[in-house]
Amino acid sequence: MKMSVLLKKSLVLVAALILAISVVSAHADGKPEKVTVIYGGSSWLGHYPAWVGIEKGLFKKYGLGVLFQNFYASSGRMGSLVAGDLDVASTGSISAIALMASGSKGFMAFGTQDSYATVEGIIAKENTKNIQDLKGKRIAAPFASSSHVLVLDILEQNGIDPDKDLDLVNLKVNEMPAAMGSGEIDACAAWTPHFNKLLNMPGNHMLVNDTEFSLYKKYKLGPGPDLLVVRKEFAEKYPNTCQAFVKGYFEAVDMLINQPEECAKVLVKLTNLSMEDQMTVLKDIAWIKGSEQKNLMVQPGGFVTGMQRLAEFLVRHKQIDSAPDVKRWIAGSMVP
């Protein structure tokens, strides 16, 4: 027997009412309105808290299941987030600033989880002893990345024109060891774990690391600091879910600070590093607790000020057309 049109409409209405009542009920009792969160990550250290939170059951304490989806680059991750395929992610701030500059209103930022000075830098062959020696050489960086920004800044500080004084080429970080080994390039800018691999190659040495970045000297801001972001529609629709995620996430940060060896045991499944190398990477990271986030993101908001200066830097180097007003993308209600 075919169901009447009226009956079908009635059932759809009842289902919608049940869903609405359940969401309102969840709002009222503080429980997550949605119990599954899709997170965009990679093996980069900025995603360690999400991975540890999943592996150690910290999100489950708050009634959440978190699905970890891998992406090669922040640009792809951000594209998926604003398209609605992800709910929450960590991203390199350059990708976020580029989206802000394009006028995208589909996401908000609610924290910065780490400072990772000394795990990114410019590596050169032994015959390139200082920055001035880069003139006339071929230097590689992944364009539109933190390493690219680091190179542009270091060249600017040393009065070197990247368009006239050297050959700056676009190369993925995982292709750099082979390019350095074959002599295709004379120097490159990369981040960990490729940064460590390049440094361990015979004849290579480090020219500078990210502590020489001009904004690091003033704001303790690296060339592409990590930023926690959420899809705006998701944050508005599921506030309790977002709060539960933040609680589990920053408990994972606390665990990384207090129990690094315990965390390293689960992180090696994500990074494929040895326990020894994993512990070495962990020692290079300064984790930022949840209790410090409001000071950085809201009041007085020094991190956001640094992001604004970074946006202006990107305009000056023709990476974006205009600098967005970064503070308009801060989700103050989600900052712990």
Side-chain angles (χ1 to χ4, degrees):
M1 182 188 301
K2 288 186 178 179
M3 193 180 298
S4 72
V5 174
L6 181 61
L7 180 57
K8 281 183 180 178
K9 286 183 178 178
S10 298
L11 289 175
V12 169
L13 181 60
V14 169
L17 282 171
I18 290 172
L19 178 61
I21 290 168
S22 65
V23 169
V24 170
S25 175
H27 277 313
D29 62 18
K31 292 181 180 177
E33 304 90 343
K34 188 171 185 291
V35 297
T36 302
V37 173
I38 305 175
Y39 175 89
S42 76
S43 60
W44 168 248
L45 59 87
H47 305 288
Y48 288 2
W51 185 265
V52 167
I54 294 169
E55 291 288 318
K56 304 302 285 186
L58 301 179
F59 294 115
K60 282 185 180 175
K61 283 174 55 180
Y62 299 100
L64 286 187
V66 177
L67 301 178
F68 191 103
Q69 288 194 4
N70 260 308
F71 289 79
Y72 174 76
S74 287
S75 54
R77 190 177 307 114
M78 289 302 290
S80 290
L81 184 81
V82 296
D85 297 328
L86 297 176
D87 303 321
V88 182
S90 174
T91 181
S93 53
I94 292 172
S95 292
I97 290 172
L99 265 182
M100 293 173 189
S102 74
S104 174
K105 305 289 187 185
F107 73 99
M108 302 288 280
F110 62 94
T112 178
Q113 68 274 42
D114 61 75
S115 173
Y116 54 86
T118 75
V119 296
E120 185 170 26
I122 302 174
I123 298 154
K125 294 183 177 178
E126 53 193 348
N127 63 343
T128 303
K129 300 188 183 304
N130 54 52
I131 298 298
Q132 291 298 327
D133 286 346
L134 288 172
K135 289 181 178 178
K137 303 268 176 57
R138 285 173 61 82
I139 177 169
F143 282 9
S145 73
S146 57
S147 290
H148 188 200
V149 167
L150 177 63
V151 170
L152 293 174
D153 181 69
I154 296 298
L155 294 180
E156 183 180 57
Q157 289 186 52
N158 287 272
I160 298 175
D161 187 333
D163 296 323
K164 298 178 181 176
D165 297 331
L166 49 76
D167 189 7
L168 184 57
V169 297
N170 185 13
L171 199 67
K172 293 179 180 177
V173 286
N174 61 336
E175 296 171 345
M176 290 176 181
M180 286 287 278
S182 67
E184 182 184 345
I185 55 175
D186 303 291
C188 59
W191 54 78
T192 190
H194 305 286
F195 173 73
N196 308 72
K197 291 175 183 174
L198 285 156
L199 276 178
N200 290 332
M201 289 173 63
N204 287 352
H205 72 113
M206 187 172 67
L207 282 181
V208 294
N209 65 24
D210 42 16
T211 61
E212 294 301 313
F213 183 54
S214 57
L215 294 180
Y216 186 85
K217 294 174 183 176
K218 190 168 184 179
Y219 298 100
K220 295 296 180 187
L221 193 82
D226 286 323
L227 190 67
L228 291 165
V229 291
V230 61
R231 182 159 49 86
K232 187 177 180 182
E233 182 186 9
F234 185 85
E236 291 172 347
K237 199 170 181 180
Y238 306 116
N240 293 349
T241 298
C242 291
Q243 290 300 326
F245 179 87
V246 168
K247 287 178 183 175
Y249 186 91
F250 281 100
E251 279 196 16
V253 169
D254 291 341
M255 181 173 276
L256 281 157
I257 294 170
N258 299 319
Q259 303 175 59
E261 193 163 341
E262 194 66 27
C263 294
K265 291 175 184 174
V266 297
L267 286 169
V268 293
K269 291 192 288 184
L270 173 69
T271 63
N272 290 319
L273 294 174
S274 66
M275 268 297 286
E276 183 181 2
D277 287 344
Q278 188 64 72
M279 288 301 295
T280 300
V281 172
L282 284 174
K283 287 175 183 173
D284 288 330
I285 308 169
W287 296 106
I288 304 172
K289 295 181 176 182
S291 58
E292 300 174 51
Q293 297 296 318
K294 274 200 164 52
N295 180 52
L296 292 169
M297 305 298 293
V298 183
Q299 186 63 41
F303 179 82
V304 177
T305 301
M307 286 266 291
Q308 190 65 46
R309 300 290 90 80
L310 180 57
E312 293 160 4
F313 174 93
L314 294 174
V315 173
R316 193 166 70 250
H317 287 274
K318 301 176 181 176
Q319 301 297 301
I320 56 176
D321 293 330
S322 61
D325 185 0
V326 174
K327 63 178 180 296
R328 294 179 62 189
W329 274 264
I330 304 304
S333 62
M334 269 188 76
V335 179

